[in-house]
Amino acid sequence: MSKYIDMKNDYTQAIPPEWYAMSKVFVALGDEHRQRILLLFEPGDRLTVGQIAEVSTLSRPTVSHHLKILREAGVLQSEKQGKEVYCWINKAFLEESLSAVLTYLREAT
């Protein structure tokens, strides 16, 4: 015996604009290496590509690739000082993005 649930049936509805940034965050954080990179940061830390590559099992170019994905998703911010690029967690952006998910869950369920 099947139970039918009254649910929305419009799968084609547009993704809310406030979810665009969040989807990029989830894609960026969907990779275990990028998760491990984020876990390297202590509160207030600014780490260089070299520092991250030094403790990683990945090559420096691969670390740079993962950092680029995290920056493009807004998860990390960066600044070049001389020859070094310093990265840090974009806490305000992550809080805003994840808050949108929590708001949806609270209101929709």
Side-chain angles (χ1 to χ4, degrees):
M1 176 185 259
S2 300
K3 286 189 175 183
Y4 290 95
I5 300 170
D6 185 23
M7 62 178 251
K8 294 179 185 176
N9 60 8
D10 185 9
Y11 184 78
T12 61
Q13 92 180 32
I15 302 297
E18 60 272 13
W19 282 39
Y20 293 148
M22 176 189 59
S23 66
K24 289 181 181 182
V25 169
F26 284 136
V27 169
L29 296 179
D31 181 88
E32 182 179 331
H33 292 293
R34 292 191 284 273
Q35 292 171 24
R36 290 178 186 274
I37 287 171
L38 277 188
L39 291 171
L40 291 174
F41 288 85
E42 294 288 334
D45 269 357
R46 295 179 132 214
L47 301 176
T48 66
V49 177
Q51 289 172 313
I52 295 168
E54 188 177 303
V55 297
S56 172
T57 58
L58 305 172
S59 69
R60 187 179 175 120
T62 303
V63 168
S64 292
H65 170 75
H66 285 297
L67 291 173
K68 178 182 177 189
I69 291 170
L70 290 167
R71 282 193 311 268
E72 287 176 350
V75 175
L76 292 180
Q77 291 182 299
S78 64
E79 176 181 56
K80 188 169 184 173
Q81 292 181 357
K83 292 183 180 183
E84 293 290 349
V85 176
Y86 289 86
C87 298
W88 62 92
I89 294 176
N90 188 351
K91 185 178 175 181
F93 174 76
L94 281 174
E95 286 175 345
E96 181 181 316
S97 296
L98 297 174
S99 177
V101 174
L102 293 173
T103 298
Y104 170 77
L105 290 174
R106 287 184 189 115
E107 294 173 358
T109 56

